[in-house]
Amino acid sequence: DPPVEAPGQVRHPATGASVTMTVEPGRVLHYHLLSPLGPWGMGESYRARDTQVGRTVALRLAPDSAFAGAADRAAFLRAAAAAAALSHPNLATLFDAGEYAGGCYLAYEFASGSTLGQYVAGGALHPRRAGELAVQIADAVADAHARGIIHGDLRPETVMVTAKGSAKVLETGMARWTRGGRARRAAQPS
């Protein structure tokens, strides 16, 4: 977990920047917030405990202000439902999505480890190891594509290398809802 520097402060895992978190430790619905993970494209992300099934999740919170209106919010939840239908050992599973009093949430499988960017920052990988990770990532993305879901934001920060050494592709099917995805949509001619 990123170290907490002061109440509400955390270092973003990918950039190292100090970030102020607006949701205090506590609960969002049946999720007990354990520690902040940092910002994500639409809001904030927390390591949380799902008290209904007893598992740790990465809980992404998107405040109401992240949506242009009710239609935008409904489209977000439809995209989440499609992404939740994916099942692959190298895709972080979207367990749950819905609405809470302050906006919408996504509850993903919590993948501990380091981002691919952090993993390769120490130097070049052995070609065999690089190939293993590439095959896992490609197989996960191909499986999503076969079901009509495009990642749209695949980069070293959206792939985790778990403590056991496996690749986990994060946020598959939700890229259009990240800051970069929104910027690309806004730049497209109507």
Side-chain angles (χ1 to χ4, degrees), residues 147-166:
R147 288 167 175 70
I149 296 176
I150 306 298
H151 190 287
D153 193 28
L154 192 61
R155 54 193 165 86
E157 291 75 26
T158 60
V159 176
M160 293 290 290
V161 179
T162 68
K164 292 185 177 184
S166 297

Side-chain angles (χ1 to χ4, degrees), residues 49-143:
R49 187 80 175 158
D50 182 336
T51 60
Q52 288 184 338
V53 296
R55 70 175 151 224
T56 300
V57 299
L59 189 67
R60 311 276 200 242
L61 302 178
D64 285 331
S65 61
F67 301 100
D72 196 34
R73 188 182 185 121
F76 174 83
L77 293 171
R78 281 192 306 276
L86 296 173
S87 178
H88 188 280
N90 299 110
L91 292 174
T93 302
L94 179 56
F95 293 128
D96 187 20
E99 298 178 79
Y100 71 103
C104 291
Y105 70 92
L106 303 170
Y108 279 98
E109 168 186 5
F110 180 75
S112 64
S114 58
T115 67
L116 182 58
Q118 294 166 331
Y119 188 75
V120 300
L125 294 181
H126 186 279
R128 178 174 288 144
R129 180 67 183 134
E132 290 168 353
L133 290 172
V135 165
Q136 291 174 22
I137 294 165
D139 190 48
V141 170
D143 191 67

Side-chain angles (χ1 to χ4, degrees), residues 22-36 44-51 57 59-61:
T22 59
V23 177
E24 294 301 319
R27 287 189 179 274
V28 172
L29 300 173
H30 58 279
Y31 296 99
H32 176 73
L33 304 180
L34 301 172
S35 62
E44 299 170 354
S45 183
Y46 295 86
R47 186 171 64 89
R49 187 80 175 158
D50 182 336
T51 60
V57 299
L59 189 67
R60 311 276 200 242
L61 302 178

